[in-house]
Amino acid sequence: MIPLWAAGMDVKRAWRSLYWLFCQFELITCSYLMEPWEKVLFYSFNLAVLGLLFYTAYACLAAQLGSAFQLLGSFLGSPRHNALAVVK
């Protein structure tokens, strides 16, 4: 079992690493130079794009995978059924 003080150190380490990643993000995007209202717009836009990306992956990827598995199942199905499908 992990001692309570060690678990607290892991939380501190996690917060510190998240803060470091956020600082790296600000350095890469140069958003540390922006004014507060610009940061709000910039981060809002980034979060909206990220949210739409996750929604698209959730909504469309499931349908595409279902179609792909159905096609794969038809290829791996009975050989007679596949031969008749080609003739039709």
Side-chain angles (χ1 to χ4, degrees):
M1 183 167 168
I2 299 174
L4 190 57
W5 60 269
M9 294 299 279
D10 288 340
V11 171
K12 285 182 183 179
R13 188 177 301 143
W15 278 114
R16 201 175 315 139
S17 64
L18 283 175
Y19 179 73
W20 182 80
L21 286 173
F22 179 72
C23 289
Q24 291 295 315
F25 171 75
E26 281 194 329
L27 284 173
I28 290 170
T29 59
C30 295
S31 62
Y32 66 94
L33 298 172
M34 295 179 185
E35 293 183 19
W37 67 271
E38 291 174 322
K39 280 186 178 185
V40 168
L41 287 176
F42 180 69
Y43 293 151
S44 299
F45 176 75
N46 284 339
L47 287 175
V49 168
L50 190 65
L52 287 173
L53 180 70
F54 282 134
Y55 172 74
T56 303
Y58 173 75
C60 297
L61 194 60
Q64 293 296 325
L65 283 175
S67 297
F69 284 138
Q70 189 176 18
L71 182 66
L72 183 64
S74 70
F75 286 146
L76 298 176
S78 64
R80 177 181 163 90
H81 182 267
N82 287 342
L84 290 176
V86 172
V87 173
K88 289 182 183 179

